[in-house]
Amino acid sequence: MHGAKVGEFREVPGPESKKFLDRAGKSLAKTTVSSDVIIDGGERIRLFDVDGNEYLAFDAGVSVANLGYGSSQNNVWKAIEETYKKGAPLYIGTDRFNPEAIEAAELLKKITPIRNRDSRVFLASAGTLATETAMKAVLKEKFRREKGEISPESVIFLHCTGSFHGRSHGALVLMDKRKKERWEGYNLPYESVNLPFPAAKKLEAINEFISQIENIPEQMIKYIGGFFIEIVQGEGGMYPIDKDALKFLDAWCVKYNVPLIVDEIQTGFCRTGSFWAYEQYGITPDIVLFGKAGGGGILPVCGTIIREDLSFKALGEHSATFGFDPIFATAVQETILEMLDLDLDTHSLQMGNYFMHQLEKEFGLKPWIKEIRGLGLMIGIEFCHPETKKPFSQLRDIFWRECEKYGLLTLPAGINSANPSMRFEPPLILGEIDVDIAMEILRIAAKYCDEFLDQEL
Ligand code: PLP
């Protein structure tokens, strides 16, 4: 089958994709999938659909395929194969330890600075479980410390507007409340307070964030379970946090003994220019969450790295069937080693700066682009009406679909009624040439948007 190459026009969905979409509608549960591209293969930073069309994967499955696809994942595959050949059972469960899990935990501890240094690693198989693990750990410790004075009903978690930490019941407590379909109607287990996210350069939000924290009454503090924060909000619209605001939060958490839980599920594994994004901000969290790229884009390896004294104490307080197995542990260990070996942290910063520079040069003055922002290879473009400057999600969607028609895969982010954005999170192994090719497609999509606006306005 000969489909279109990257940069060439193709119908989306193509004839084969249409057939699969029809079957998907009758067999798969509705989730967030809104793209009509049905993926059938991948190699490095390219994906192929069932019609044989080629795409540049500038979303990397929302930061899962940081190492890319196919041959660029070979070393992780090989390590898994060696574990298998050595005779290790691939799955053991959590009731017996194995050397691979211990080695992976030791490596994760070594590369993850945690307040007061020592930590314990819990391995899981979904980001939302990493979040639940952190919530349970801080609450167990709190209930132990307060000796029955605090009940689960009185616990409050702090988080920010625009936040996303998962979709299970506990994690939904921390969900940005503007997308009601995500959380409304469920009985959420804890109270939460969301503060404005102190995005870099957003002075009003930064000041408001600091003032709201300063004004938290002392008598409320003992009810706070922890503060969950993303260093770059992904789902919320690709906003890097302000450095001073994060340092302020860190110091406040230390002063009042409130656990600072940094969610690196999307930002971790070299995505933003350091292994963990928080390493660029001069803070040390109490708990770090990771996921997505943790299994090299091959296995769903996620986890929670917990300050030792906050970690679980009694047998059975927490556990999971999958996560600590030799196969998961091998995948995470090899993924880390491969990323460090390839210097993907430095590379993603360089590539991110190059991409950002091109975007600003090309689109910085477009009246329908409100902002271009990001850190490393986590970059977003926000769309607005060219005259009123109001959010313009329809234009973002036109732009997105046009990119797909010429072979560039990206994803939306942000809230349609507030900050409709397009996000770029390509595999970290890309080169300048790939950015240049993506830019050609973005120019086509931008021209189409200009023409659309000429007709409509
Ligand atoms: N936290 C962040 C920052 C995320 O981006 C996501 C997923 O998009 C999650 C948590 C939840 O991860 P999962 O979908 O693996 O449960």
Side-chain angles (χ1 to χ4, degrees):
M1 197 175 350
H2 293 293
K5 298 272 172 223
V6 166
E8 292 172 357
F9 178 81
R10 80 281 322 266
E11 289 291 344
V12 178
E16 287 303 312
S17 299
K18 271 189 193 141
K19 291 183 207 159
F20 278 104
L21 283 170
D22 185 45
R23 286 168 58 191
K26 292 172 188 150
S27 59
L28 291 171
K30 201 167 255 337
T31 57
T32 46
V33 175
S34 49
S35 166
D36 287 340
V37 178
I38 306 271
I39 298 299
D40 197 26
E43 174 57 22
R44 293 185 67 79
I45 58 165
R46 284 163 198 247
L47 285 172
F48 305 95
D49 72 11
V50 287
D51 290 284
N53 299 310
E54 184 189 53
Y55 298 84
L56 274 182
F58 263 46
D59 58 3
V62 194
S63 202
V64 169
N66 285 11
L67 285 176
Y69 302 94
S71 62
S72 55
Q73 296 170 305
N74 271 354
N75 287 342
V76 182
W77 275 116
K78 269 194 218 143
I80 292 172
E81 206 179 319
E82 272 162 32
T83 301
Y84 174 63
K85 281 193 189 145
K86 174 184 106 170
L90 293 183
Y91 292 95
I92 292 181
T94 40
D95 295 312
R96 284 182 187 89
F97 291 130
N98 61 82
E100 287 81 4
I102 298 162
E103 277 167 23
E106 286 168 353
L107 180 59
L108 279 158
K109 275 173 62 135
K110 196 165 139 198
I111 61 163
T112 312
I114 290 284
R115 210 189 306 291
N116 298 336
R117 292 208 186 87
D118 208 6
S119 56
R120 296 289 180 268
V121 178
F122 184 85
L123 293 173
S125 50
T128 201
L129 284 180
T131 302
E132 299 286 339
T133 301
M135 290 179 116
K136 284 176 75 178
V138 294
L139 289 185
K140 271 281 175 201
E141 173 56 20
K142 179 171 271 307
F143 297 147
R144 237 186 312 258
R145 203 165 4 108
E146 304 289 343
K147 297 192 178 62
E149 247 195 65
I150 291 184
S151 64
E153 298 77 52
S154 57
V155 165
I156 304 163
F157 279 101
L158 303 184
H159 65 114
C160 284
T161 307
S163 61
F164 186 94
H165 299 284
R167 295 171 183 274
S168 48
H169 270 69
L172 282 182
V173 168
L174 311 164
M175 179 68 85
D176 182 299
K177 295 292 182 285
R178 288 170 297 179
K179 285 200 175 172
K180 289 202 166 163
E181 72 281 6
R182 291 180 173 176
W183 61 272
E184 211 175 37
Y186 303 121
N187 203 3
L188 300 184
Y190 310 111
E191 291 298 323
S192 67
V193 173
N194 72 308
L195 293 97
F197 182 72
K201 300 187 197 140
K202 308 280 181 217
L203 279 187
E204 209 180 307
I206 295 169
N207 290 338
E208 189 57 24
F209 173 80
I210 291 175
S211 122
Q212 286 194 20
I213 291 181
E214 279 174 337
N215 286 319
I216 294 176
E218 286 221 14
Q219 63 273 28
M220 177 181 155
I221 287 173
K222 75 170 175 184
Y223 298 101
I224 298 175
F227 202 125
F228 281 78
I229 194 108
E230 291 158 88
I231 304 299
V232 182
Q233 280 194 335
E235 185 67 18
M238 312 302 262
Y239 293 101
I241 200 166
D242 176 73
K243 196 169 189 171
D244 290 335
L246 183 60
K247 282 189 165 172
F248 170 82
L249 172 64
D250 186 50
W252 181 85
C253 286
V254 173
K255 183 169 175 195
Y256 292 104
N257 198 15
V258 172
L260 177 61
I261 301 140
V262 170
D263 183 340
E264 292 270 2
I265 290 170
Q266 200 167 141
T267 47
F269 286 78
C270 298
R271 171 58 58 194
T272 68
S274 43
F275 193 87
W276 305 117
Y278 72 83
E279 292 176 86
Q280 297 173 55
Y281 288 78
I283 60 138
T284 41
D286 299 293
I287 299 185
V288 174
L289 315 180
F290 71 90
K292 293 200 184 278
I298 296 174
L299 287 169
V301 186
C302 305
T304 313
I305 304 162
I306 312 167
R307 205 180 79 199
E308 191 271 331
D309 57 314
L310 291 173
S311 189
F312 303 101
K313 305 281 185 297
L315 216 53
E317 274 182 9
H318 192 50
S319 194
T321 301
F322 297 118
F324 288 82
D325 312 272
I327 185 173
F328 280 79
T330 302
V332 69
Q333 200 178 344
E334 188 57 33
T335 300
I336 295 170
L337 295 176
E338 176 80 352
M339 287 183 165
L340 297 179
D341 194 42
L342 294 173
D343 287 328
L344 283 189
D345 45 1
T346 320
H347 186 67
S348 74
L349 195 60
Q350 282 166 355
M351 285 299 113
N353 288 344
Y354 178 73
F355 191 16
M356 184 77 98
H357 180 66
Q358 304 296 319
L359 287 170
E360 275 165 356
K361 199 167 71 176
E362 198 76 36
F363 305 123
L365 295 177
K366 287 268 178 219
W368 42 271
I369 289 190
K370 186 162 180 196
E371 193 174 46
I372 303 170
R373 54 182 175 250
L375 182 69
L377 281 170
M378 232 176 138
I379 296 177
I381 297 182
E382 185 178 332
F383 290 75
C384 66
H385 190 284
E387 283 154 16
T388 64
K389 303 296 171 197
K390 288 201 172 134
F392 203 173
S393 64
Q394 188 196 357
L395 193 66
R396 188 269 320 276
D397 292 344
I398 289 171
F399 189 84
W400 172 31
R401 302 293 180 195
E402 200 60 15
C403 285
E404 282 193 348
K405 283 184 196 155
Y406 286 89
L408 182 68
L409 297 181
T410 63
L411 280 175
I415 307 281
N416 282 355
S417 57
N419 59 342
S421 308
M422 196 82 258
R423 62 174 124 175
F424 303 102
E425 300 183 276
L428 310 182
I429 55 166
L430 87 173
E432 286 186 4
I433 178 75
D434 303 305
V435 173
D436 295 343
I437 297 170
M439 285 302 299
E440 278 173 31
I441 300 173
L442 293 172
R443 263 179 229 119
I444 296 174
K447 188 162 170 272
Y448 190 74
C449 285
D450 283 334
E451 286 163 8
F452 167 83
L453 289 168
D454 283 347
Q455 276 171 21
E456 293 295 309
L457 301 183

